[in-house]
Amino acid sequence: WIGMNFPIDHLPEVLDTPSFVYSRRMLGERAQQALACQTPFGLTVRYAIKANSHPEIIRLFDELGLQFDASSSYEAALLLEQGVSGPTISLSSQQPAHNLDELLQAGVRYVATSLHQLELFAASPHHPNTVGLRLNPGMGSGHNNRTMTGGVNSSFGLWHAYTEQAVELARRHDITIDRLHIHIGSGADPRLWGEAIDAALALVGRLPEVTILDIGGGFKVHRFGDEQEADLAAICEVFSRKLSQFAEETGRQLHLEIEPGTWLVAYAGVLVAKVVDIVDTGADGHTFLRLDTGMNDVTRPGMYGAQHEMMVLVGREEQREYIVVGHCCETGDILTPAPNNPENLASRRLARAEIGDKLVIFDAGAYCQSMSLKQYNAYPDAGTYFID
Ligand code: LLP
């Protein structure tokens, strides 16, 4: 479990809780590892900033040479404001861009995710003559229904059966679809990634002018228990094999793009909170450890039954079983739900805690601060610190 390498010995001595603390070193190491991956006709690593759009993380990754994936026109605008150059940004959004002309003028690479979005692109006076197209290939591999982004139950991307309609529409406007984008969810199994790229290549076959394939993100990390860690290098080997084979068969040499979010940042952040109360529900009940944080800062457990490792910083020998809960006035504000099942509770064995102790929630670099709830119970935003 890579997250255990987080330098908790170097947490700032004075630190308000709750606060997110990020390790620049760990962010840099993951970025370098991703950049070291290779595919036969070139690889672009785009950081999906939805995972964490903190300006320092954007700056660090920009300096290291990562490119970016924006999931809304607001994310794209945020990247431009941070000084990221337009052509290194790819925009693939569910909502049509509020600032389409501006983004196109800045050179942002646009991915249409529906026929309507393709029409809007064609109607902009600033559109280049090439565009990306996101397709739903009809399969998905999320770890649960809420993270599955392909298949009939997912609204993301143009349904594959309408591919020719998109080609025709683009052609009418003298636009070439040169980039195919698919993102089908999260996974660790290289074989599943092999199937994903097979599905993508079958679609490339129907898009004769595509030269770039963006296979999306969803490279899973091991946060807890028997979760599987995606070996990015091994997955890229599978990609490479498939791309070489495709090139032999068709003569088409595709440049590959990947869009990891979680994989790049999850381990590099922790949330430091404080135990503010300890209550129980009697002999047949539970002991609840209440923190000064909760679903407003970390929504993942309540949404997906996601698991995050936790540690009471004062490491007492004695251990206890606790249900760790947040401070929101909401029964579902449970930080230790049953795995993948937010309906149920699962107790954690932790060092015996006392009110006032600090508790660290690990692997909080991805989709915690960026997915925080605004305004609920008027709790203020958590603090942010960066350490080396
Ligand atoms: N590219 C696209 C088009 C995406 O929709 C996503 C994630 C990514 C890249 C990055 O995926 P990643 O590598 O971070 O898995 N909020 C969730 C998972 C849903 C992510 C939605 N799309 C979580 O907390 O795990």
Side-chain angles (χ1 to χ4, degrees):
W1 168 50
I2 296 166
M4 74 184 283
N5 299 326
F6 190 93
I8 47 170
D9 294 344
H10 298 114
L11 289 177
E13 264 173 40
V14 183
L15 168 145
D16 295 327
T17 59
S19 277
F20 288 94
V21 184
Y22 300 107
S23 158
R24 285 192 199 92
R25 179 183 56 78
M26 289 179 87
L27 288 164
E29 280 172 6
R30 287 295 259 197
Q32 301 289 11
Q33 275 179 47
L35 287 165
C37 291
Q38 288 185 357
T39 53
F41 314 112
L43 178 71
T44 298
V45 183
R46 296 191 178 281
Y47 169 49
I49 70 160
K50 64 174 84 63
N52 193 322
S53 54
H54 194 283
E56 275 225 38
I57 298 180
I58 292 173
R59 196 174 325 129
L60 177 75
F61 283 172
D62 193 29
E63 279 168 15
L64 289 172
L66 291 180
Q67 299 199 24
F68 297 92
D69 161 57
S71 274
S72 78
S73 49
Y74 294 90
E75 281 187 356
L78 193 120
L79 284 163
L80 291 173
E81 271 163 38
Q82 297 299 314
V84 172
S85 100
T88 64
I89 303 167
S90 165
L91 170 65
S92 143
S93 169
Q94 320 324 316
Q95 175 168 308
H98 70 291
N99 50 356
L100 183 61
D101 290 343
E102 239 170 85
L103 298 182
L104 294 178
Q105 272 177 297
V108 169
R109 296 187 196 281
Y110 184 80
V111 177
T113 67
S114 69
L115 292 173
H116 177 54
Q117 284 199 12
L118 190 52
E119 272 160 3
L120 293 173
F121 173 83
S124 166
H126 304 288
H127 76 72
N129 57 8
T130 56
V131 72
L133 177 68
R134 176 167 177 179
L135 290 176
N136 176 341
M139 65 177 282
S141 71
H143 49 281
N144 58 41
N145 281 341
R146 296 190 197 186
T147 53
M148 183 87 85
T149 49
V152 285
N153 294 333
S154 164
S155 68
F156 297 101
L158 179 71
W159 183 245
H160 58 89
Y162 308 127
T163 305
E164 284 70 27
Q165 244 169 286
V167 172
E168 190 39 46
L169 198 162
R171 197 170 286 148
R172 272 207 305 281
H173 294 280
D174 288 325
I175 294 167
T176 302
I177 298 174
D178 69 343
R179 199 148 78 88
L180 171 64
H181 179 281
I182 72 167
H183 167 85
I184 57 166
S186 331
D189 188 344
R191 270 174 316 168
L192 274 181
W193 282 105
E195 286 173 29
I197 198 158
D198 281 344
L201 291 172
L203 293 169
V204 172
R206 291 161 62 184
L207 293 161
E209 286 158 323
V210 160
T211 55
I212 305 164
L213 171 61
D214 183 333
I215 192 89
F219 304 93
K220 211 166 161 17
V221 296
H222 171 109
R223 289 192 183 86
F224 196 79
D226 60 1
E227 290 176 3
Q228 294 290 308
E229 169 86 12
D231 178 342
L232 199 55
I235 292 169
C236 280
E237 277 174 32
V238 174
F239 290 159
S240 296
R241 223 176 29 247
K242 301 273 183 184
L243 289 168
S244 299
Q245 207 177 322
F246 185 78
E248 269 168 39
E249 286 163 15
T250 64
R252 296 172 69 185
Q253 305 191 334
L254 300 174
H255 180 95
L256 190 73
E257 302 192 344
I258 55 172
E259 296 176 349
T262 305
W263 195 92
L264 287 166
V265 295
Y267 294 132
V270 296
L271 177 60
V272 185
K274 199 162 66 192
V275 176
V276 289
D277 212 341
I278 302 175
V279 299
D280 70 78
T281 43
D284 297 330
H286 307 283
T287 303
F288 296 93
L289 212 59
R290 176 162 297 125
L291 307 181
D292 62 354
T293 183
M295 60 192 283
N296 56 314
D297 292 317
V298 186
T299 53
R300 307 184 73 254
M303 259 186 95
Y304 313 128
Q307 305 293 306
H308 286 259
E309 222 31 277
M310 293 175 196
M311 186 174 123
V312 179
L313 264 187
V314 189
R316 299 184 185 88
E317 290 274 308
E318 192 189 340
Q319 296 198 324
R320 294 272 168 90
E321 293 281 328
Y322 295 108
I323 303 283
V324 182
V325 296
H327 55 176
C328 291
C329 187
E330 189 80 32
T331 315
D333 192 3
I334 306 285
L335 294 167
T336 55
N340 301 317
N341 179 6
E343 290 292 304
N344 288 342
L345 312 180
S347 63
R348 284 287 175 90
R349 215 169 168 72
L350 297 171
R352 185 177 60 77
E354 289 177 8
I355 293 173
D357 284 350
K358 286 200 178 104
L359 180 144
V360 176
I361 300 177
F362 287 91
D363 306 332
Y367 303 106
C368 289
Q369 200 162 20
S370 71
M371 227 163 71
S372 59
L373 301 178
K374 303 283 177 223
Q375 297 180 2
Y376 197 46
N377 294 157
Y379 282 119
D381 289 344
T384 311
Y385 297 84
F386 278 79
I387 58 176
D388 288 332

